[in-house]
Amino acid sequence: MRHRLPTSVAALVAASLLLAGCGGGDEQEAPAGAAPSSEPTASATSEPPEPTYWPLTGLERTGKAPKHPVIVTKVDNTSSSAPQVGLGAADLVVEELVEGGYTRLAAFYYSKVPASIGPVRSMRASDIGIVPEGATVVTSGAAPITIKRVNGAGIPWITEGAAGVYRETTRSAPYNLFARLGEISRRLKAEEEPPAYLPWGTPADLPKGAKARTLTADFGAHSTSWQFQGGRYVNTDSYAAEGDEFPADSVLVLRVQVGDAGYRDPAGYPVPETKFEGKGAALLFHGGRVIRGTWSKDGLTGAIELATKGGELAVPAGKVWVELVPAVNGNVTFAK
C-alpha cells in the first residue's frame, strides 16, 4: 500500500477544484489504498489449494503432514504372536517370507500411530527393499550381517533399550517385545514428506478383471487367506486381536525372487532374502475381482510400478496389504 504525505486542508481543496475543472466527467478518484475497479480483488482470483494425499494410502488429506517419518514396525506372524496388537491402525502392511517357510509383517504407520504395537521382531535383509526411503524401523534387532547391510543402506532403526520399547510381562519371550509408537514418533523428525509408496488411483481406473472373492497366498509353512466381505478383504486366519485387524481395501500380490541371505537362524534354517527389485507377476484384488498384471522396481530403492497389457495399473486409494509371495515354492490361489 502506498503512503501519502500529509498536506494542508487548503491544498486539498485546491487540488479537488482543479481536478473537477479538468475531469469533464463523473469519475471520482479511488480512495487511498483501494484496488482499481477494473481489476478483480485477490479473493475473487485466488484458487483453492491443491489437494494433498497420504503417501501410504493415496487418500486425500486434510491438514498438514505429520512431523515424524514413516515408522515401519516388524511384527511376528506366527501363532505365538497372538494376539497381535496395533495392526488395525497401520496404513499399509507388507508380508514377507522368513526362514522355515513362515512369514513376518512390516507394518507401516504415518497417518496415525497406535498406542502400542507388537510383538516386535527382528529385521531381515529383505527389508532393505521394502522400507521406504526416510523411514525408521522399530525392531528387536537382527543378525550382525543383516545389521551391517541395513546400516549400509542408511536405514535408521530403534530397538530394545530405547524409550518406548518395552517387555510385556504377561507374555513369554521372544514374543513379548512391544513399542509405544506414539511416544517414539514424538522424538522423530522428518526432513520432508515421503513419496507415494504405490501408484494410486480410483476404482474407475481399473480394468474389469475376473471375479475373485477369496484368495490364499501360500509361502510354504504358512498361508494367508482372505475373503471379500462388506466391501473389504477379511483375513480369515489372522493372529490380530479382535477388533484390531487390518482393514484391507485391496490385497496386492507380487511374485518375487528369493535368494539366500548368507546365514542360518538359531534353529539351523537358512535365512531367505526377498529380492524386491526387478520385475515379476502381479495380482491386484479389489472389489471382489482380480486384475492380472506385472510389477517392476528399479533397484531396491526404486518406486513400485504396476502395469497391465493395456498400460499402467493404479491401486485404488485405501488400505492395502501387500503379499510378497515367492515366485518359486510359493503359490497364489483364488476363486469366485
Side-chain angles (χ1 to χ4, degrees), residues 177-269:
L177 190 66
F178 282 71
R180 298 185 182 92
L181 290 196
E183 178 182 338
I184 292 171
S185 67
R186 288 191 290 271
R187 303 198 308 267
L188 303 176
K189 301 298 179 183
E191 295 183 0
E192 57 186 14
E193 190 173 355
Y197 193 76
L198 292 170
W200 299 112
T202 69
D205 299 325
L206 295 179
K208 184 177 181 180
K211 290 183 178 179
R213 299 185 68 86
T214 65
L215 71 125
T216 297
D218 188 356
F219 291 82
H222 172 83
S223 60
T224 299
S225 297
W226 300 88
Q227 285 187 357
F228 184 66
Q229 300 176 5
R232 282 181 167 173
Y233 288 87
V234 176
N235 185 351
T236 56
D237 46 16
S238 172
Y239 300 121
E242 184 176 356
D244 203 5
E245 299 89 350
F246 181 78
D249 295 301
S250 302
V251 178
L252 177 62
V253 179
L254 306 179
R255 304 303 301 270
V256 295
Q257 299 297 320
V258 177
D260 191 331
Y263 66 99
R264 293 177 178 267
D265 74 351
Y269 290 103

Side-chain angles (χ1 to χ4, degrees), residues 29-42:
E29 183 180 11
S37 59
S38 60
E39 297 181 7
T41 62

Side-chain angles (χ1 to χ4, degrees), residues 267-283:
Y269 290 103
V271 177
E273 180 182 350
T274 294
K275 305 290 186 179
F276 198 22
E277 60 181 329
K279 58 184 178 180
L283 295 168

